[in-house]
């Protein structure tokens, strides 16, 4: 990447005259180390001629890894960063001491306009804290959120839930903003023209649930026609996987518990299934016969295929890949980052939360006034 | 049941001279109707010679169902109740209008000492509201909780989580009481001598989580040695199914979302598995070959085997069976009710939450003072 034209111009022209979208990648902090990250970039580069990378981390480790990959030649700049954010680092502390980490360096590339989006598989709390500090929140956004995927029977193969754990609390205005950001993300990031938005609650009856959820239900219903999504009302835990909703809104505490409960349940059922097939010689033969079908099932349930939580509500796009991401999985996160950058989704989202276009007189006030009433 | 000796003596001597534990059963309000309930009682009666029933509901419907079952002869009294609580009834309203329902009648049998425990598969919210009104809370308990099961790799085959959805809020003192009640239930209801108790949170690190959860962590750690359980600290969603904990404490909102998320995930994986086996002729043959192993798996994952949420913190034991319970499932709930009555667990639980025996000077104060500080 010799032809970087500097801040403000985020798409560089390569030697071949191709327009490339530059992705800033934090190479450190994942459970499998930088080799898996570089292998993921390599996978992505083979499939996509419009991509370029700025890779952040220990140059002595990264240079040899990158040099081995022909497909990364000329499209992957390595930037040295001497420190690494570990999974045990506390977010509050790393903000003070983390200036020399690969994560900080990777985020700053988006801040100064050298890259369109940053991808990291490091410590989620630290990544969010650092992103908020360096990129700042979008005007009108009180709490940014992490949008995560759930496998579902919907045509795109998953549902979107937010907040997956950026903040442990959310009041009614936060929940309204999650609905607006989630709908915008579903539309501009995943092509769902009119997303169906549901609010997670303990029951679908009107009289159930916490006060802030009831208040949020009214705000979201009010905003839906203006922001061009369908509000379908309360949904329950089981609906996270259902095809009657596209975007599920909840606070980050509940969202995170649900996410880990779902992962834990799926893992337990899979393990029990494996044990069942290994139990007897006959069942082992059956497993052999059904290999193709079982592989299809495994692929469908494979969380690696939909890897990548997206931070919404910041001046810049941040994709959080799973900490244990392998090459396939990291490449999926890179693809998501690329698609988001290409669609210019963050600019559209910023417009969506700052004001509501196609609006009546009340519509901008709807968001602004409610937000100014916050504690 | 002709030899009922009246209030205060809950064990009746049958004609054969057997001591029987009497269970009060709400026959109405389940999705499958009273026939499934009576079939469940019949199953239980065949296995257990020390059981007797008082069955509440429409006598015109119930009498013929009971008369058909030889094993219920002489041990099942039918009490007429003309009304039924439906799944759509609002708890607040049914408290005013529900005096003639089978649910009310079934609960009152425990209140007036005719039965030791009540079992219903009706509307959970109504059952909790009515139980609180008629049975009253145990001294010192602010919010009763619903204890539910999760399949796990622990020796007894499941973990216990509370609150599963009795109340949508819980402060630190409520969470402490859930820990005390859950540990007592695990010990006296399920034979776990020294239960391991964990507090559900978004991360296992000390610095994460809501204020009331951090405060609860301190209270629970303080109470653990006195109340003779092990506090293992924070657990995450995935731990609901793990074997490193026996009792998981959380508020009813989070607990209910987690429960439904887990059920939804398990259902989706099972459906996908069924589809995978039906996909090709070869996979259908494989399924046939592996029938025994797959049936074993199905049995292990069968929620019917561990059917029954238990309401903790009331003057009397209430078992909530799943709304869609069939005979097998309802019989499992009856077995749980019987075991709880036989162990005298509610008396032990009452003692546990009212004061802490084997205590230092501070121990009773620990509970009482904190409770009196509540809003």
């Amino acid at each position: 990447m010799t032809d970087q034209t500097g801040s403000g111009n985020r798409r560089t022209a390569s030697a071949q005259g191709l327009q490339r979208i530059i992705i800033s990648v934090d190479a450190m902090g994942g459970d499998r180390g930088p080799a898996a990250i570089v292998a993921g970039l390599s996978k992505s580069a083979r499939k996509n001629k419009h991509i370029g990378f700025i890779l952040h981390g220990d140059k002595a480790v990264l240079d040899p890894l990158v040099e081995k990959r022909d497909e990364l030649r000329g499209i992957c700049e390595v930037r040295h960063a001497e420190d690494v954010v570990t999974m045990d680092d506390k977010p509050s502390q790393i903000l003070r001491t983390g200036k020399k980490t690969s994560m900080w360096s990777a985020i700053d590339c988006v801040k100064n306009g050298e890259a369109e989006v940053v991808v990291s598989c490091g410590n989620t709390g630290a990544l969010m804290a650092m992103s908020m500090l360096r990129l700042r929140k979008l005007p009108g956004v009180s709490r940014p959120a992490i949008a995560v995927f759930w496998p579902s029977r919907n045509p795109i193969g998953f549902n979107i839930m937010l907040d997956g754990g950026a903040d442990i609390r959310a009041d009614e205005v936060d929940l309204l903003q999650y609905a607006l950001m989630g709908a915008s993300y579903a539309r501009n990031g995943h092509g769902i023209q009119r997303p169906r938005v549901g609010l997670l609650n303990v029951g679908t009856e009107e009289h159930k649930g916490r006060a802030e959820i009831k208040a949020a239900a009214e705000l979201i219903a009010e905003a839906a026609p203006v922001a061009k999504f369908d509000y379908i009302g309360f949904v329950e835990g089981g609906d996270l996987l259902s095809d009657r909703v596209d975007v599920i809104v909840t606070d980050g505490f509940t969202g995170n518990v649900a996410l880990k409960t779902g992962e834990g349940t799926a893992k337990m059922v899979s393990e029990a299934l494996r044990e069942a097939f290994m139990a007897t010689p006959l069942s082992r033969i059956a497993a052999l016969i059904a290999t193709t079908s079982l592989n299809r099932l495994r692929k469908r349930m494979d969380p690696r295929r939909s890897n990548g939580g997206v931070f919404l509500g910041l001046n810049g796009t941040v994709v959080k890949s799973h900490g244990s991401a392998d090459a396939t999985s990291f490449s999926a996160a890179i693809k998501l980052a690329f698609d988001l950058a290409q669609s210019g989704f963050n600019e559209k989202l910023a417009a969506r939360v700052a004001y509501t276009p196609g609006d009546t007189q009340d519509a901008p006030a709807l968001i602004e006034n409610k937000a100014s009433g916050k504690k």
Side-chain angles (χ1 to χ4, degrees), chain A residues 62-221:
Chain A
L62 297 178
D63 275 341
L65 288 170
V66 171
E67 275 158 24
K68 272 195 293 190
R69 305 280 179 172
D70 283 347
E71 52 279 351
L72 294 180
R73 192 156 302 147
I75 63 156
C76 181
E77 179 190 339
V78 175
R79 296 247 174 113
H80 184 65
E82 60 197 50
D83 273 0
V84 178
V85 177
T86 70
M87 290 295 176
D88 301 324
D89 281 325
K90 293 191 187 184
S92 57
Q93 200 178 319
I94 204 73
L95 289 186
R96 293 192 300 274
T97 60
K99 290 194 179 58
K100 291 182 174 170
T101 60
S102 58
M103 190 182 276
W104 188 289
S105 173
I107 293 168
D108 267 16
C109 253
V110 170
K111 180 181 164 65
N112 65 26
E114 289 180 89
E116 298 229 17
V117 42
V118 52
V119 182
S120 172
C121 54
N123 181 324
T124 307
L127 185 61
M128 178 51 96
M130 226 179 247
S131 299
M132 281 178 66
L133 180 74
R134 302 302 292 158
L135 302 178
R136 299 279 164 199
K137 294 184 282 189
L138 284 172
V141 170
S142 151
R143 298 180 206 257
I146 305 178
V148 298
F149 297 123
W150 284 83
S152 83
R153 290 179 186 276
N154 275 322
I156 62 167
F158 52 82
N159 293 342
I160 293 160
M161 179 189 81
L162 72 168
D163 173 23
D167 202 311
I168 51 171
R169 286 193 189 278
D171 65 17
E172 57 267 34
V173 177
D174 298 322
L175 294 170
L176 167 63
Q177 288 183 340
Y178 294 174
L180 293 169
M181 296 196 296
S184 177
Y185 172 55
R187 184 182 299 116
N188 301 310
H190 300 286
I192 304 169
Q193 282 317 306
R194 200 166 177 99
R196 295 161 300 168
V197 175
L199 188 56
L200 192 60
N201 201 346
V202 292
T204 51
E205 299 90 348
E206 289 296 322
H207 61 282
K208 286 184 178 175
R210 294 173 171 166
E212 72 270 23
I213 293 181
K214 290 186 209 173
E218 286 180 28
L219 294 182
I220 295 172

Side-chain angles (χ1 to χ4, degrees), chain A residues 339-373:
Chain A
D339 290 347
L340 291 174
Q342 199 177 39
S343 73
F345 114 98
N346 210 53
E347 289 75 10
K348 293 177 186 164
L349 185 135
R352 170 60 61 206
V353 290
Y355 71 102
T356 43
D359 50 29
T360 64
Q361 287 293 80
D362 299 320
L366 171 76
I367 314 299
E368 304 281 317
N369 293 347
K370 301 266 161 64
S372 66

Side-chain angles (χ1 to χ4, degrees), chain A residues 250-272:
Chain A
T250 188
D251 68 275
F253 185 91
T254 310
N256 192 268
V257 168
L259 191 64
K260 288 177 178 166
T261 302
E263 285 174 354
T265 306
K267 190 165 158 244
M268 188 185 180
V269 176
S270 309
E271 282 173 9

